């Protein structure tokens, strides 16, 4: 699992999903680390989504 | 003379079936072992000695010469995320789980019907994901109690390696059977997704959750698997297998330790010397498998826990909470993209399996590390190749191949075609029988 080396402070209340907005304040460190991890996953997925036409998606050797 | 607690599952079962070993005597030897060593290993959350003794008495009364069920008189432990009627399933959470389960999970009921004796619940990473939970002791590796036992089926791995039980049951959503299997020097099977029922198992990520056996040899794992999935064990392969090795996942996509490279290279040499063929196979990158797997896991886990998080976030270990919250930031588009990619990744794995009996790769690029070394623990988390088979649903068998320079176990995993566990276990038994730096009688220095 990816753990951010530093906790960023660029997550504010307005960017929090509704499900966890009420945690802002007391749980900022956890929310920030989670947001950073999710962003990293999204960026990696995006990199491979662009590669969906690679031949191994048809079962061929990568 | 071999101690009763050193007996393999199969040897103990045969001795009981032959009338040479009383189920109660065997159980008492294991309970004494737990008394002697669990204070240092902290593998168990709860031991139900009274109930186990009652079951052992019943087995003693039921004993008849001749055909007995395959696990007759064999005590086993259960990861405390799986329901056993009358026992509390805590999930190693501080969240107030106090009500005993009203029924036993099907996978455990099958072991009991096969003659097994439930002995107690083992420790885990909280909800099979995170830290130890504030109220719980840290499970330790019996090979060196300063070292990690892996996660999340940590107690099951530690208990089996420490000879407290011959069999324990774990769950594997992102590698949680195979991690403690490797770290503790035992054998474990992550079955094909959907093969063994998961009713009565507290979910982590339902599209990847599986339950499977952990024991000290491939034959012992096969016996337990046969009871959990139905059908009999077929024994080792009668010919040297043709294997595909997937090197890039751990040698170049990750950064392996010299210890791990040497141990796996030696295992490869042993296999080739015994007649196996090893061909190079490739898969999509470890980075892609990890992104797809963890996106899926975090999204599904958050969906399960969000109401508990909303009500009482303070009841989670901080590390668990942080991991679960990741799912709140995974968008529907991310989740669906990951879901769609899983089909392509499974097809790539099927393709790699063409013309070979199984694929071989590392369980981890790094060996077990000290529990008090935070940097090493973080590096170990990132050195896993285990999520590959959770993403695709394929079965994977992890087994030890030797020891690190620190005296800690190292291992490999072999991956088979879906629903072909029997062939996979046969290949595993063949490999285990041809290793020069490991055999299943090797035990931690407790």
């Amino acid at each position: 699992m990816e753990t951010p080396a530093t906790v960023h402070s660029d997550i504010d209340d307005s960017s929090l999903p509704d499900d966890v907005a009420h945690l802002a304040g007391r749980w900022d460190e956890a929310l920030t680390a989670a947001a950073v991890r999710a962003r990293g996953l999204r960026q990696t997925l995006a990199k491979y989504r662009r590669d969906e036409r690679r031949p191994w998606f048809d079962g061929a050797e990568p | 003379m071999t101690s009763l607690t050193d007996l393999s599952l199969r040897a103990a079962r045969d001795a009981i079936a032959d009338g040479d070993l009383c189920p109660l005597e065997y159980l008492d030897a294991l309970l004494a072992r737990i008394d002697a060593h669990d204070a240092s290993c902290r593998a168990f959350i709860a031991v139900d000695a009274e109930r186990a003794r009652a079951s052992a008495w019943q087995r003693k009364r039921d004993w008849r010469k001749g055909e007995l069920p395959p696990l007759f008189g064999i005590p086993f432990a259960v990861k405390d995320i799986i329901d056993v009627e009358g026992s509390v399933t805590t999930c190693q959470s501080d969240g107030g789980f106090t009500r005993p389960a009203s029924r036993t999970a099907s996978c455990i009921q099958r072991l009991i019907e096969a003659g097994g004796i439930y002995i107690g619940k083992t420790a885990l990473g909280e909800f099979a994901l995170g830290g130890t939970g504030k109220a719980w002791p840290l499970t330790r590796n019996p090979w060196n109690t300063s070292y990690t036992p892996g996660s999340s089926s940590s107690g099951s791995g530690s208990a089996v390696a420490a000879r407290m039980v011959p069999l324990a049951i774990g769950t594997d959503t992102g590698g949680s059977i195979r991690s403690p299997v490797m770290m503790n020097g035992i054998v474990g099977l992550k079955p094909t997704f959907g093969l063994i029922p998961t009713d009565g198992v507290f979910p982590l990520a339902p599209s990847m959750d599986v339950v499977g056996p952990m024991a000290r040899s491939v034959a012992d794992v096969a016996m337990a698997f046969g009871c959990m999935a139905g059908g009999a064990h077929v024994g080792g392969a009668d010919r040297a297998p043709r294997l595909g090795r997937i090197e890039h996942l751990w040698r170049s996509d990750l950064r392996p330790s010299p210890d791990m490279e040497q141990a796996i290279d030696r295992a490869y040499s042993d296999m080739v010397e015994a007649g196996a063929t090893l061909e190079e196979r490739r898969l999509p990158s470890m980075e892609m498998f990890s992104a797809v797997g963890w996106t899926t896991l975090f999204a599904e886990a958050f969906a399960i826990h969000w109401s508990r998080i909303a009500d009482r976030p303070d009841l989670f270990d901080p590390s668990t909470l942080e991991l679960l919250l990741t799912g709140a930031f995974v968008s529907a588009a991310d989740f669906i993209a990951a879901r769609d990619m899983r089909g392509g990744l499974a097809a790539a794995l099927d393709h790699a399996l063409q013309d070979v009996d199984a694929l071989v790769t590392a369980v981890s690029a790094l060996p077990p590390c000290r529990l008090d070394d935070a940097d090493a623990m973080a590096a170990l988390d990132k050195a896993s190749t285990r999520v590959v088979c959770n993403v695709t649903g394929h079965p994977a068998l992890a087994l030890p191949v030797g020891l690190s320079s620190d005296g800690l176990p190292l291992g490999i995993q072999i991956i088979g075609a879906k629903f072909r566990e029997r062939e996979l276990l046969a290949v595993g038994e063949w490999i285990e029988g041809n290793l020069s730096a490991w055999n299943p009688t090797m035990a931690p220095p407790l």
Side-chain angles (χ1 to χ4, degrees):
Chain A
M1 280 163 272
E2 295 298 320
T3 307
T6 56
V7 176
H8 298 257
S9 56
D10 57 350
I11 307 297
D12 60 32
D13 288 358
S14 62
S15 65
L16 286 175
D18 288 347
D19 283 340
V20 293
H22 67 289
L23 300 181
R26 189 173 167 196
W27 303 98
D28 283 350
E29 193 172 328
L31 286 166
T32 304
V36 170
R37 184 183 295 108
R39 185 190 304 152
L41 291 170
R42 179 175 305 124
Q43 288 167 348
T44 307
L45 284 178
K47 176 175 154 188
Y48 289 101
R49 284 168 80 175
R50 285 196 292 274
D51 291 342
E52 279 181 5
R53 288 188 174 277
R54 279 188 177 180
W56 40 261
F57 274 94
D58 297 318
E61 191 76 19
Chain B
M1 182 185 159
T2 303
S3 156
L4 290 182
T5 56
D6 283 330
L7 290 174
S8 70
L9 187 162
R10 184 154 63 175
R13 192 270 174 195
D14 289 349
I16 291 169
D18 291 344
D20 296 331
L21 176 60
C22 166
L24 197 56
E25 180 189 5
Y26 182 45
L27 173 69
D28 281 341
L30 294 168
L31 290 171
R33 181 85 177 167
I34 294 169
D35 277 347
H37 293 292
D38 201 42
S40 57
C41 293
R42 312 310 295 253
F44 278 89
I45 282 180
V47 176
D48 198 338
E50 190 178 335
R51 175 176 176 163
R53 281 207 176 92
S55 299
W57 270 111
Q58 188 62 46
R59 299 291 181 277
K60 189 176 177 180
R61 280 194 293 271
D62 292 346
W63 185 90
R64 299 284 183 277
K65 195 156 184 69
E67 282 298 304
L68 289 169
L71 293 182
F72 189 85
I74 299 297
F76 65 91
V78 177
K79 182 178 183 177
D80 197 19
I81 200 164
I82 305 173
D83 285 346
V84 176
E85 183 182 359
S87 296
V88 177
T89 305
T90 69
C91 302
Q92 197 145 335
S93 159
D94 299 331
F97 293 94
T98 55
R99 190 186 306 164
S102 59
R103 63 184 295 270
T104 299
S106 296
C107 58
I108 303 304
Q109 187 60 35
R110 290 177 181 184
L111 295 174
I112 293 169
E113 287 167 4
I117 295 171
Y118 164 70
I119 196 170
K121 290 292 194 71
T122 52
L124 65 149
E126 184 181 17
F127 290 114
L129 177 66
T132 54
K134 291 185 279 290
W136 310 92
L138 191 60
T139 303
R140 294 173 179 273
N141 192 319
W143 290 85
N144 183 330
T145 53
S146 297
Y147 279 67
T148 176
S151 191
S152 67
S153 307
S154 47
S156 291
S158 181
V160 170
R163 273 57 180 164
M164 297 176 192
V165 279
L167 169 68
I169 304 305
T171 61
D172 194 319
T173 305
S176 289
I177 287 176
R178 290 160 289 151
S179 162
V181 156
M182 190 205 86
M183 311 287 173
N184 291 286
I186 61 171
V187 179
L189 176 68
K190 174 229 166 276
T192 306
F193 176 77
L195 178 61
I196 295 175
T198 53
D199 64 274
V201 181
F202 195 98
L204 175 56
S207 78
M208 299 196 291
D209 291 340
V210 300
V211 60
M214 303 161 72
R216 290 195 295 271
S217 71
V218 178
D220 288 356
V221 163
M223 281 184 73
F225 170 74
C227 299
M228 296 173 86
H233 175 45
V234 294
D238 54 6
R239 61 173 174 79
R242 187 175 172 186
L243 301 168
R245 60 181 193 177
I246 307 176
E247 300 289 88
H248 69 90
L249 282 183
W250 64 283
R251 280 203 211 258
S252 54
D253 295 359
L254 301 171
R255 253 189 231 164
S257 72
D259 273 4
M260 190 64 77
E261 290 197 291
Q262 286 164 17
I264 295 181
D265 285 341
R266 184 169 182 172
Y268 285 161
S269 297
D270 293 338
M271 294 176 209
V272 170
E273 201 169 301
T277 59
L278 277 171
E279 301 165 21
E280 193 79 16
R281 289 286 191 272
R282 286 193 65 81
L283 292 175
S285 72
M286 194 61 234
E287 180 186 58
M288 182 177 184
F289 276 108
S290 292
V292 170
W294 293 115
T295 297
T296 306
L297 189 151
F298 289 134
E300 293 188 10
F302 180 74
I304 286 159
H305 287 280
W306 76 267
S307 63
R308 261 182 294 275
I309 292 171
D311 292 344
R312 292 294 305 273
D314 55 304
L315 291 180
F316 292 86
D317 181 82
S319 66
T320 314
L321 181 66
E322 182 198 303
L323 293 170
L324 287 170
L325 285 173
T326 306
F329 295 90
V330 172
S331 70
D334 296 338
F335 181 72
I336 290 168
R339 186 198 65 187
D340 291 348
M341 287 183 198
R342 290 177 69 181
L345 293 171
L349 193 42
D350 283 336
H351 182 76
L353 278 162
Q354 283 179 6
D355 304 322
V356 294
D357 296 304
L359 301 170
V360 189
T361 193
V363 176
S364 164
L366 298 177
C369 64
R370 291 182 63 90
L371 283 158
D372 60 3
D373 186 338
D375 290 342
M377 289 288 286
L380 188 59
D381 263 353
K382 294 173 184 173
S384 168
T385 59
R386 299 179 288 272
V387 79
V388 167
C389 291
N390 302 103
V391 167
T392 66
H394 287 73
L397 178 74
L399 65 155
V401 295
L403 296 175
S404 70
S405 52
D406 291 343
L408 275 294
L410 304 172
I412 57 171
Q413 59 177 330
I414 58 173
I415 301 165
K418 288 183 183 176
F419 302 105
R420 305 295 290 270
E421 274 81 353
R422 284 175 215 302
E423 290 88 338
L424 182 65
L425 288 161
V427 171
E429 201 166 347
W430 184 93
I431 292 173
E432 179 183 68
N434 285 291
L435 294 172
S436 60
W438 182 268
N439 73 72
T441 65
M442 291 169 68
L446 282 175

